[in-house]
Each structure stands twice: as structure tokens, then as C-alpha cells.
Amino acid sequence: MKSKLPSVAPSTPRTTAILLPVFALAAGIALAGCSSKADPQAAAADKPQNVTLTSAQREHIQLLTLARSSFHRGIETSGVVDFDHDRATQVLAPFSGPVTEVLVNQGEKVKQGQPLARVDSPDFAAAASAYRKALAAAQAADQVAARDRDLFAHQAVSQREHAQAQSDAIGADADRDAALQALLALHVDQPTIAAIREGRPVARGQGVIRAPIAGTVVEKSIAPGQLLAAGSTPCFTLADTSTMWVMAQLFGDEPAVVRNGDVATVDTAAGGAKIHGKVTNVGAVVDPDTRSVGARVLVDNPDGTLRRQMYVRVQIQSSEAQQGLLVPVSAVLRDDENLPFVYVVAADGSYAQHAVTLGARVDDRFVIPEGLHAGDKVVVDGAIFLRFIQTQ
């Protein structure tokens, strides 16, 4: 025999009217629970609870008891390659006039004193003429001075005449030496100076621009027919590229820990071997655009791998020892807000989250300036396992 189910009468307007105040009251109670004052029990529920493990589970956890230790900080940054300014120079026109011939090409290696270009220069002609006149005047004055010394010894001339002859000779010799220095300032070579001294003819107005140092012609700025202005027209840039500078950028507190002589490694990201160098200068001025301080790294470049304006990665190993608390990278996790934390053994043997501040990275460890203390036992292996249990 089938049992009869009680029938349910359809709701009537009166029934609905009775239920509405009940739902409104429930809604009001719910809204009261969302007031500006947080429920302490709800807040406690939001806080991550410590993780408790069985003895078998603890066998898979590795701990590290923290202690302050000494370390040498490594800094990784970017840098720009530049010429070694102690071995590079810009060659300005030593005299005025039009260029008649350029004797070298860009990229060519030159020796010190090698001719780079020829110039039809009136400055050269004037300097050569002045030297000839100074030579002749000095020679005549020296002869008069020598004759007067002999005559004065035999009392044939007065003291006044003898002194005047000696003074004239000294002045003429000084003028000759000054004229010679004027030729040397124009980079005139010794064979040409010898030809002028001996009275032999030299090329008319033919000034020669010579290499002041040995190196590579990294820039050529003139062409035949160009008019040069003495002391202001750039003609060439020469550089010894066997050594180069890498200008690395230091930020924050990094300039305070980098010293001259610190070892550096340069990576060109071109697949080649890393290039070793050392820091030779740490800047004293902050770049207003990048807010960084420049550190100059001197590196050898025998095969020409490094080129000016190339961007590279630089690693500097500070020689200054520092003290601090360090934890392995494997111990550091991130919470839902991407903030770093570690698991620390609590007094009751459970494992609690401790928010930490990450400092510099030293190899496979982080310096922890805030959040931990010496003596804390930190989970360095198995932290992910704890995180999994805590989030279940």
C-alpha cells in the first residue's frame, strides 16, 4: 500500500507577506556583521595557521639554524664599453689650410709619428721661414760674441761693448730655440727640420699631420680639399683598443661596497667567453637621468671583441667583507600577494610563516636584513611541501 505524501499548499500572498520581514531581519543581521569593526574570530581565521608534521613527515624537512656570517657581495649590472681614455686621443689640426692628401683609412693601425694627412699650410711656411731667420741671426750673434770675448781679453773693446755682444747672442739663441719649438708644435719631423737647418729646400707649404700615439684610426673626420682651422678642426681619433673601459652602473648602496681593485667579469651576451677585468675608479657624482653612479672597469681586449658603445653585463665581486644573516634561495617562498616569506620552527615544534625582507643575492643565498634573527631554525628544504599542507 502506497503511503500518501502530505500535500504542500501553494504560497499565498499572505504567506509571502509573513516571510518577507523574516528575510529582511536575517539580511540586517548579516549586514551588521560587515560593519567597520572586523570580527576578531574572522581575522584570526585569515591568519595562516602553523603547520604540524608527524615524525615521518619531519624526515623530509631540512632545517638551518641561522647565525651571522661573513660574505662578499656580488653586484650584477649593465655597462657600456668605451675607449681607454688614457690610450686614446683626438687629433686636432695643428695648422690652418686646405687638406691636400689623406694618407690613412679608418680602422688602420698606425705608429707614433706616422703621417696621417698633408696640408697646404701657410702656417708651416711661416714657421719654417722664421726658423731659418732665427738660425742665421743666432749664428751671426754667436760669432760676434766669440770675437768680442777675444778682443775683451786683449783689452781691445770696452766692458760695455763686450756685455752687449754677449746679451745679443743669448737673445738670438733664445729666438732660435723658440722658432724650433714652433716647428715641433706643428708636428714637423726631424728630417724636415734638419733640411731647414742645412738650408736645403722643403716642399712649399707642405704641413704634415702626424699620429701623436700608436693605435688604431677609429675615426676619420677630414677629406681632401677641406679647409682646416689650427687648433679647432678635429681630424682623426686614435685609440689603442688592446685595453678598453667598461662604464658600469651602480645603484642604491652599491657604490658604498665597490672599491678600486675589485674583480669584475664582463659578458657580451654574444656566446663568447667572459672577459675579466678590475675596477679602477668609482664615480663621485650621481647621474641625474639614471640615478646611478658610474664604476670604471679596465679590461683587456686583445682580439677586439669589445667595441665602443657596446652594451654588456657586468659582475663585480666586492672585496669588502660584510656581516649578515643569509638563507638559501630554496627557503624563500611567495604568498598570495607575492611577498617573500620563510617557514621557521615555532616554540611548540610547528612551522610558522615569517615575512622577510630580501637583500642582496650572494651566489645561491639571500641576505635577510629584516624578519629573522640569529638562532632561528629555517626550513631550507621542503618549504613547498609545508606550503601545500597549509593551503589544503
Side-chain angles (χ1 to χ4, degrees):
M1 214 181 142
K2 295 183 181 179
S3 60
K4 293 184 179 180
L5 296 175
S7 61
V8 179
S11 61
T12 62
R14 177 177 177 80
T15 304
T16 304
I18 293 173
L19 292 178
L20 284 176
V22 176
F23 289 129
L25 177 60
I29 294 174
L31 291 174
C34 299
S35 63
S36 59
K37 293 183 179 180
D39 187 352
Q41 294 181 353
D46 291 339
K47 182 179 179 180
Q49 299 298 313
N50 292 359
V51 180
T52 302
L53 301 179
T54 65
S55 58
Q57 290 173 328
R58 282 196 296 271
E59 293 179 358
H60 301 283
I61 301 299
Q62 183 178 351
L63 302 177
L64 171 67
T65 302
L66 296 185
R68 295 185 65 84
S69 58
S70 177
F71 64 93
H72 294 273
R73 184 171 169 184
I75 296 171
E76 185 171 351
T77 184
S78 60
V80 180
V81 178
D82 198 359
F83 295 131
D84 182 345
H85 290 188
D86 294 332
R87 298 187 177 187
T89 185
Q90 186 180 55
V91 182
L92 300 179
F95 30 66
S96 301
V99 177
T100 58
E101 185 180 7
V102 178
L103 305 174
V104 295
N105 294 315
Q106 189 167 331
E108 185 176 339
K109 294 185 179 297
V110 297
K111 299 179 180 179
Q112 184 176 6
Q114 180 176 330
L116 304 177
R118 301 186 187 278
V119 181
D120 188 4
S121 173
D123 297 341
F124 170 77
S129 176
Y131 184 50
R132 282 198 182 93
K133 293 178 181 179
L135 282 171
Q139 184 178 6
D142 289 343
Q143 291 176 351
V144 171
R147 184 188 62 190
D148 278 16
R149 281 195 297 270
D150 183 62
L151 293 175
F152 180 71
H154 294 86
Q155 299 182 349
V157 294
S158 65
Q159 173 68 31
R160 180 175 175 276
E161 291 174 328
H162 170 67
Q164 183 63 46
Q166 303 307 312
S167 177
D168 292 344
I170 293 173
D173 289 344
D175 291 343
R176 176 200 59 203
D177 294 342
L180 175 60
Q181 290 300 319
L183 284 175
L184 294 175
L186 297 178
H187 300 168
V188 179
D189 61 350
Q190 290 300 326
T192 302
I193 293 176
I196 297 173
R197 185 184 300 116
E198 295 167 5
R200 292 186 281 113
V202 295
R204 183 189 67 83
Q206 193 64 54
V208 179
I209 301 176
R210 300 182 181 276
I213 63 170
T216 302
V217 181
V218 295
E219 187 175 353
K220 183 180 72 171
S221 308
I222 59 173
Q226 182 176 343
L227 185 63
L228 307 182
S232 61
T233 304
C235 301
F236 303 92
T237 299
L238 305 181
D240 180 358
T241 58
S242 61
T243 61
M244 300 289 280
W245 285 357
V246 175
M247 304 307 297
Q249 294 181 313
L250 303 179
F251 297 90
D253 65 340
E254 294 174 348
V257 299
V258 176
R259 297 286 184 271
N260 289 349
D262 285 353
V263 176
T265 304
V266 177
D267 185 1
T268 63
K274 293 184 178 180
I275 304 172
H276 300 283
K278 65 178 181 179
V279 177
T280 58
N281 179 263
V282 179
V285 179
V286 176
D287 188 312
D289 297 325
T290 62
R291 309 308 301 173
S292 65
V293 174
R296 187 177 69 208
V297 178
L298 179 65
V299 294
D300 291 330
N301 188 42
D303 55 359
T305 301
L306 298 178
R307 300 176 183 274
R308 190 186 185 196
Q309 299 301 325
M310 179 184 290
Y311 286 97
V312 294
R313 297 296 301 172
V314 183
Q315 292 179 332
I316 301 175
Q317 188 66 34
S318 174
S319 59
E320 182 178 358
Q322 294 181 285
Q323 294 284 330
L325 297 176
L326 295 95
V327 299
V329 173
S330 60
V332 180
L333 301 179
R334 298 275 179 172
D335 62 15
D336 296 337
E337 297 180 358
N338 200 34
L339 298 177
F341 71 91
V342 298
Y343 282 103
V344 178
V345 178
D348 60 359
S350 62
Y351 301 88
Q353 284 191 17
H354 277 215
V356 295
T357 301
L358 299 183
R361 179 165 176 166
V362 181
D363 297 328
D364 60 347
R365 298 177 296 172
F366 280 121
V367 179
I368 307 297
E370 295 181 5
L372 296 176
H373 303 87
D376 287 345
K377 294 182 179 180
V378 177
V379 178
V380 296
D381 189 11
I384 296 179
F385 174 60
L386 294 177
R387 180 64 169 163
F388 173 77
I389 295 177
Q390 193 176 43
T391 55
Q392 294 306 304

